[in-house]
Amino acid sequence: MKAALNMKTRIVVLGTGFGAFRFLKEAGRIPAEITVVSPRNHFVFTPLLAGTTVGTLEFRSVIESIRTACPGTAFHLAVAESLDPETKTLRCRGAFEPPGAEPFDSHYDTLIIAVGAVPHDFGIPGVREHSLFLKDVRDARAIRQKILECFERAALPKAGEEERKRLLHFVVVGGGPTGVEFAAEMHDLLHAELRRAYPELFPEVRITLLEAGKQILSAYDGTLSAYTLRHFRRQEIEVRMETAVVRVEERRLFLKDGGEIPYGCLVWATGNAPAPFVKSLPFDKDPHGRILVDDHLSVPGREGIFALGDCAASIKNPVPATAQAAEQQGLYLGRALAKRLRNRPMPPFRYRHQGMLAYIGGHSGVADLSKVKGRGFLAFLFWRSVYLTKLVSLRNKILVVLDWARTRIFGRELSRL
């Protein structure tokens, strides 16, 4: 961070996730031309995304428009396809245009790469063709539609017993927070609304969670992981650990041990892989394909290029690929560039772990904090209160509270639109 910023400095930000959004909110103090390039024109509060898949929350309650939240910032709804570090030029394509369409160039003095990651399929055949992911609002909408489709198809007179059982089997692959929270939300939908709307189908519904490792929520304290497992079993959510998937077909998946599992809806939540743009960059990367950065989030040997969030990995001090880490990095980098403007030194980035929370269904949660390992109803209340305070705008906070109240009073909407 040697060169000072000036009024002609062009800052280009790639992405609209936690890291990019927090940087943009902080960058208002930087006198520079800021341009955002992203195929998504809104920020998504992903910790509450699982609730939108079943109608506990509405989709617009967990998003915030970039144009509204960051006035004065230029925005291009586009995909960054390639980068020329020598000429400081990005080649981009409009998000609505097909691959191969005429691109446009975006020039920068400072580049912030915060493109996140894509779902990891581990090269397993059929995953991308037949699974549903949970990374964005479009994914959540597709899952909600699929759930209702399965119930409506199972309710048709022509559906035989075997076909009904297949359609009403909801399988989640991945025992991390995303997979666990979706299974929990699915359980709540099933017992609160679907058992009344489809009483004849309710006895045949199954939820199965598959985890290749030895425990679910493996990043959490062992006592909380064990509690979640017991809680799921009480809720009749089948959990199968050390169960690896080797192939996925349209109606069934195949396991490493030779078994087969028929399903109606398959949600894949097994972790992250580098985005195509990150793969194309000629930078040093870690074994997972993430861009290596120094203690100031700068790409070594690339003046004016920074990376943060799920697409970046620190050379010296590893940082988890979580929303809170990306948010802290965005805040740090916004302040660092503002200090750079005044030729003031900025200390290295230091990640501060604030704990982990997860919802596990039935108004129960787990809270893994430095001094407290909470579980049950109080942890659920804490989970809700923390995420409510962390929502990025007053609008989001009001909408989420109203959604929770609506769900409590009137139940979830089951119409398939």
Side-chain angles (χ1 to χ4, degrees), residues 120-404:
H120 205 325
D121 62 8
F122 296 95
I124 298 172
V127 170
R128 297 210 169 269
E129 292 82 1
H130 305 299
S131 302
L132 297 171
F133 303 105
L134 188 51
K135 295 284 286 184
D136 203 347
V137 168
R138 287 173 294 183
D139 300 328
R141 187 188 299 276
I143 292 173
R144 188 194 290 198
Q145 295 286 75
K146 187 64 175 180
I147 292 170
L148 297 175
E149 176 191 329
C150 287
F151 273 87
E152 293 297 349
R153 289 175 62 188
L156 292 175
K158 69 175 184 178
E161 180 180 357
E162 185 176 345
E163 178 67 358
R164 281 199 311 273
K165 288 182 178 180
R166 180 190 71 81
L167 286 168
L168 298 176
H169 190 191
F170 298 87
V171 178
V172 185
V173 179
T178 300
V180 164
E181 291 194 334
F182 171 73
E185 293 283 1
M186 185 65 206
H187 167 271
D188 289 355
L189 173 68
L190 174 63
H191 286 266
E193 277 79 35
L194 295 178
R195 71 183 305 169
R196 295 196 300 267
Y198 304 91
E200 73 284 0
L201 300 178
F202 178 77
E204 299 185 68
V205 180
R206 289 190 299 152
I207 303 171
T208 299
L209 178 67
L210 306 179
E211 167 56 40
K214 295 183 178 181
Q215 65 181 59
I216 58 175
L217 296 180
S218 59
Y220 288 60
D221 182 82
T223 60
L224 299 180
S225 174
Y227 173 81
T228 301
L229 179 60
R230 295 194 302 271
H231 182 78
F232 271 15
R233 287 175 173 166
R234 287 195 299 269
Q235 292 180 314
E236 298 183 337
I237 297 174
E238 181 183 4
V239 179
R240 298 177 60 175
M241 289 175 289
E242 298 185 84
T243 303
V245 178
V246 296
R247 189 169 87 255
V248 176
E249 294 183 356
E250 184 178 4
R251 297 188 171 201
R252 65 185 63 244
L253 56 82
F254 299 84
L255 305 177
K256 187 176 182 179
D257 62 9
E260 300 178 15
I261 299 180
Y263 66 86
C265 176
L266 173 61
V267 175
W268 194 270
T270 59
N272 297 328
F277 175 74
V278 173
K279 288 183 179 180
S280 73
L281 297 176
F283 302 156
D284 291 336
K285 297 165 188 170
D286 76 348
H288 301 289
R290 298 177 297 179
I291 303 168
L292 291 174
V293 296
D294 62 20
D295 287 347
H296 292 86
L297 307 183
S298 177
V299 179
R302 307 289 182 174
E303 177 65 28
I305 300 180
F306 303 85
L308 64 156
D310 291 351
C311 68
S314 175
I315 297 173
K316 296 181 180 179
N317 301 300
V319 176
T322 61
Q324 65 171 292
E327 186 175 33
Q328 289 181 33
Q329 289 175 327
L331 174 64
Y332 164 84
L333 192 55
R335 292 178 176 176
L337 293 185
K339 286 196 172 186
R340 177 182 167 189
L341 169 66
R342 298 189 292 272
N343 291 317
R344 292 174 54 188
M346 186 68 181
F349 171 75
R350 291 289 180 265
Y351 169 67
R352 294 176 175 81
H353 185 61
Q354 298 172 344
M356 298 180 291
L357 305 171
Y359 177 58
I360 60 174
H363 296 113
S364 186
V366 292
D368 189 350
L369 310 177
S370 59
K371 297 182 179 180
V372 177
K373 310 300 176 186
R375 59 191 188 183
F377 182 67
L378 290 180
F380 160 71
L381 293 179
F382 184 67
W383 172 82
R384 277 199 167 180
S385 63
V386 167
Y387 285 149
L388 185 63
T389 60
K390 287 187 173 295
L391 285 163
V392 298
S393 71
L394 178 61
R395 167 189 168 275
N396 289 135
K397 292 182 173 77
I398 293 174
L399 289 176
V400 165
V401 169
L402 291 176
D403 284 347
W404 283 337

Side-chain angles (χ1 to χ4, degrees), residues 79-134:
V79 179
E81 295 190 319
S82 62
L83 168 66
D84 185 345
E86 300 302 321
T87 62
K88 295 192 172 183
T89 302
L90 277 167
R91 179 141 291 186
C92 308
R93 171 177 52 84
F96 297 115
E97 298 176 345
E102 182 179 358
F104 66 91
D105 291 340
S106 183
H107 302 279
Y108 66 87
D109 296 305
T110 298
L111 176 64
I112 313 296
I113 303 174
V115 296
V118 298
H120 205 325
D121 62 8
F122 296 95
I124 298 172
V127 170
R128 297 210 169 269
E129 292 82 1
H130 305 299
S131 302
L132 297 171
F133 303 105
L134 188 51

